[in-house]
Amino acid sequence: MVLCSADSYDLMSRKAAIVIAAQIIAKPESVLGLATGSTPVGTYRYLVDFSREGDLDWSQITTFNLDEYRGVSPDDPHSYHWFMKTKLFDQINIGKSRTFLPDGADENAGRACEKYDTMIRDAGGIDLQLLGLGRNGHIGFNEPGSCFIKNTHCVNLSPSTIDANQRFFNGCQEVPRQAYTMGINTIMKAKRILLLVSGMEKADILHKVIYGPITPDVPASILQMHGNVMVIADKEALSEMQ
Ligand code: F6R
């Protein structure tokens, strides 16, 4: 695991954008795994800037997002489809038919999840997977539990995740209770993983992810088993490391 420190959220975002940009330049037909949430917003801003400056061509890039709320349609402003459209896809030259998220509008969880894994496989797998870290150690929406769940699946969001995500809604009651998420195996099959962590409230969990035991209680701890992980974290997130 390569651990890279950044003095601020902005510098973390810039470094992450440079890593992703290098991947796109080195392999213009890359398959990228993308994340939503607050953490990657700055990274997407930099990627949009690099693209406007003419440094990046997304025309052959394919993307797969980690997750989507169940029962939420793509044009709902709370959906992750909407998040990706507004924060990134509408501002770069990516073909919309090459951007994929789990189909939250499909209430048939088994069908929606199986289809998603098949699509990732058919695209040749993920070259670089971007991840944020949940306060409880989740990656995607793989919540702490008694086992690691392999494939894309439907998950009941934990109270801590519902609480953390209510800032995007009008209160806790409005946060969907379920989501479709890539599984741990889906994530671990990515050739490279880039984990971004920002803020004091993630310091304790980041320490457990890197130095603690590998356990489904801290889902991101499984990343210790991956051979090509880069963690970029800001000073606050690294404050427990000494
Ligand atoms: C988002 C995702 C989640 C977030 C995590 C951190 O697609 O899968 O795992 O990365 O909840 O969220 P933020 O960045 O909002 O702290």
Side-chain angles (χ1 to χ4, degrees), residues 141-214:
F141 277 136
N142 291 276
E143 299 285 32
S146 53
C147 62
F148 292 114
I149 301 181
K150 284 186 182 169
N151 298 325
T152 300
H153 59 284
C154 180
V155 68
N156 294 324
L157 300 182
S158 73
S160 127
T161 300
I162 292 169
D163 179 52
N165 287 7
Q166 63 165 311
R167 67 192 193 279
F168 299 116
F169 295 82
N170 297 318
C172 240
Q173 291 76 359
E174 283 194 15
V175 184
R177 276 8 192 196
Q178 291 188 312
Y180 298 149
T181 180
M182 281 186 195
I184 290 295
N185 202 29
T186 325
I187 294 171
M188 290 292 281
K189 275 202 276 197
K191 295 176 188 85
R192 297 171 68 198
I193 292 181
L194 175 58
L195 173 68
L196 303 187
V197 193
S198 166
M200 197 66 91
E201 76 277 9
K202 305 265 178 82
D204 184 48
I205 195 72
L206 179 59
H207 186 270
K208 289 190 177 129
V209 166
I210 295 179
Y211 296 113
I214 298 169

Side-chain angles (χ1 to χ4, degrees), residues 56-72:
L56 294 180
D57 176 13
W58 296 76
S59 59
Q60 297 174 70
I61 296 290
T62 302
T63 66
F64 287 93
N65 264 78
L66 284 164
D67 38 25
E68 178 57 287
Y69 290 118
R70 185 182 189 198
V72 174

Side-chain angles (χ1 to χ4, degrees), residues 8 11 23 50 58 98 113 120 133 156 158 170 223 229:
S8 64
L11 289 172
Q23 172 73 37
F50 297 165
W58 296 76
R98 303 179 82 105
C113 295
I120 295 172
L133 180 65
N156 294 324
S158 73
N170 297 318
L223 297 175
V229 178

